[in-house]
């Protein structure tokens, strides 16, 4: 199958449109950010970080934990579109001395120069939008201090598998083995890597589509158009993913496949 070329402008537009609804509906992404932060706390021996860089900060699911629960002097936040800064007004309005100095680096990380002398590069639920992950890993290695950390979550090949099965639309996700190989080839040692399957359940397939739209995930469907017929077919075919709760209520499953990684630049 031909690899899907990811349209960054389309991604920025869809996530900007979902900006107000994302925080409310992106429950899985919030859980993933919390889990990733627990791994960061577990594997970073020194909780003091001079300079940190977050790729694809979005509404700040991970950022706020980094700011409030790690001792960071400077945190540089990246995303595709400047509207995300609205999610950080609370930080800007607080001059508490333990909060880091917040800086912004807007744009596509595949094209940008990374900040210098980093102790930590972090990213939650964003690297799946990268066309060439090795480019990002190479830049990360160049900009991290010796024994600096690259900590991220991304998604594996079973992510949103129901949508891909029914529409043919979706990203070409890397396997956990692919990620390991790319990290090792680019000079990282892997301290932790794991994967999980998480399911959300909905009472109707229409809610599945509403959830995806509210979280900006429809950015993959740049050439896909819903018609009355394709929508009816989608609802009908989603029956194959039916499940039932303890009370026997019919539910429609949507699968997420997070992968967590804590890597370190070799000395």
């Amino acid at each position: 199958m031909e690899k899907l070329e990811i349209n960054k402008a389309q991604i920025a537009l869809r996530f900007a449109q979902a900006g107000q609804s994302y925080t409310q509906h992106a429950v899985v992404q919030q859980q993933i950010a919390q889990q990733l932060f627990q791994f960061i706390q577990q594997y970073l021996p020194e909780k003091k970080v001079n300079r940190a860089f977050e790729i694809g900060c979005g509404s700040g699911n991970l950022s706020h934990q980094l700011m409030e629960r790690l001792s960071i002097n400077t945190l540089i936040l990246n995303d595709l579109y400047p509207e995300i800064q609205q999610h950080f007004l609370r930080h800007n309005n607080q001059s508490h001395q333990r909060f880091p100095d917040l800086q912004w680096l807007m744009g596509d990380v595949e094209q940008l120069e990374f900040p210098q002398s980093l102790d930590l590069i972090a990213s939650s639920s964003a690297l799946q939008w990268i066309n060439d992950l090795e480019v990002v890993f190479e830049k990360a290695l160049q900009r991290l201090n010796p024994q600096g950390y690259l900590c991220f979550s991304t998604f594996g090949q079973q992510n949103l598998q129901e949508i891909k099965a029914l529409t043919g639309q979706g990203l070409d996700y890397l396997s956990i083995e692919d990620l390991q190989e790319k990290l090792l080839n680019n000079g990282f040692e892997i301290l932790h890597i794991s994967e999980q399957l998480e399911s959300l359940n909905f009472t109707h397939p229409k809610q599945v589509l509403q959830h995806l739209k509210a979280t900006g995930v429809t950015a993959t469907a740049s050439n896909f158009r819903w018609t009355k017929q394709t929508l009816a077919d989608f609802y009908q075919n989603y029956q194959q993913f039916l499940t039932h709760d303890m009370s026997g209520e019919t539910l429609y499953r949507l699968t997420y496949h997070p992968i967590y990684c804590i890597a370190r630049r070799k000395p």
Side-chain angles (χ1 to χ4, degrees):
M1 182 185 289
E2 184 180 346
K3 188 178 188 301
L4 176 71
E5 189 70 15
I6 295 169
N7 183 330
K8 300 293 175 62
Q10 188 76 17
I11 294 167
L13 175 63
R14 293 288 171 85
F15 276 104
Q17 289 170 337
Q20 297 302 322
S21 60
Y22 184 89
T23 305
Q24 177 186 348
H25 292 274
V27 286
V28 172
Q29 289 84 349
Q30 290 166 9
Q31 293 168 2
I32 289 170
Q34 289 169 0
Q35 178 65 73
L36 175 60
F37 184 75
Q38 288 176 13
F39 286 133
I40 291 173
Q41 282 191 309
Q42 182 180 342
Y43 284 93
L44 265 65
E46 294 293 333
K47 298 298 186 284
K48 291 186 178 179
V49 174
N50 185 33
R51 286 169 57 79
F53 177 46
E54 185 184 351
I55 297 169
C57 65
S59 60
N61 284 331
L62 179 62
S63 323
H64 287 107
Q65 294 183 76
L66 294 173
M67 287 189 288
E68 293 163 15
R69 299 173 64 188
L70 278 189
S71 178
I72 300 176
N73 290 333
T74 300
L75 177 59
I76 304 135
L77 298 179
N78 155 265
D79 212 299
L80 287 170
Y81 59 103
E83 287 83 356
I84 56 102
Q85 295 181 41
Q86 67 183 306
H87 299 292
F88 297 86
L89 297 176
R90 176 180 58 148
H91 168 83
N92 293 337
N93 292 335
Q94 292 179 350
S95 57
H96 197 295
Q97 62 182 19
R98 74 181 181 90
F99 277 155
D101 171 34
L102 204 55
Q103 298 178 9
W104 297 95
L105 182 62
M106 288 298 166
D108 178 0
V109 289
E110 289 185 81
Q111 311 298 329
L112 291 173
E113 287 291 321
F114 280 24
Q116 301 272 4
S117 304
L118 297 168
D119 299 310
L120 169 66
I121 297 175
S123 180
S124 185
S125 302
L127 294 184
Q128 69 275 7
W129 299 110
I130 301 295
N131 279 308
D132 188 348
L133 203 51
E134 292 209 54
V135 169
V136 172
F137 288 165
E138 286 171 15
K139 290 195 216 182
L141 191 77
Q142 292 167 5
R143 294 300 196 235
L144 279 169
N145 294 325
Q147 295 197 291
Y149 290 84
L150 173 63
C151 306
F152 65 87
S153 68
T154 185
F155 291 104
Q157 293 174 324
Q158 290 171 262
N159 199 56
L160 306 181
Q161 59 187 1
E162 298 85 359
I163 306 303
K164 199 163 200 173
L166 296 184
T167 68
Q169 296 292 314
L171 298 176
D172 295 312
Y173 298 101
L174 295 174
S175 69
I176 197 167
E177 293 80 14
D178 292 333
L179 286 168
Q180 285 177 297
E181 183 180 357
K182 290 180 185 298
L183 286 163
L184 294 172
N185 287 346
N186 281 285
F188 286 97
E189 55 182 335
I190 298 170
L191 304 183
H192 173 92
I193 191 163
S194 62
E195 58 187 339
Q196 296 174 349
L197 288 179
E198 308 277 353
S199 292
L200 290 182
N201 293 314
F202 300 88
T203 56
H204 192 279
K206 182 179 182 180
Q207 293 179 323
V208 175
L209 296 181
Q210 289 170 336
H211 164 78
L212 293 173
K213 183 177 181 181
T215 56
V217 177
T218 51
T220 55
S222 55
N223 299 316
F224 188 79
R225 294 290 177 267
W226 290 104
T227 64
K228 190 174 286 188
Q229 186 59 52
T230 57
L231 207 53
D233 291 344
F234 178 83
Y235 293 163
Q236 178 63 37
N237 293 333
Y238 216 99
Q239 307 297 319
Q240 64 190 279
F241 303 118
L242 272 180
T243 184
H244 296 89
D245 65 10
M246 298 288 285
S247 65
E249 184 184 358
T250 298
L251 297 171
Y252 296 85
R253 184 188 74 233
L254 180 65
T255 302
Y256 283 89
H257 182 187
I259 297 175
Y260 302 94
C261 182
I262 307 294
R264 183 168 61 193
R265 180 184 160 176
K266 293 176 182 176

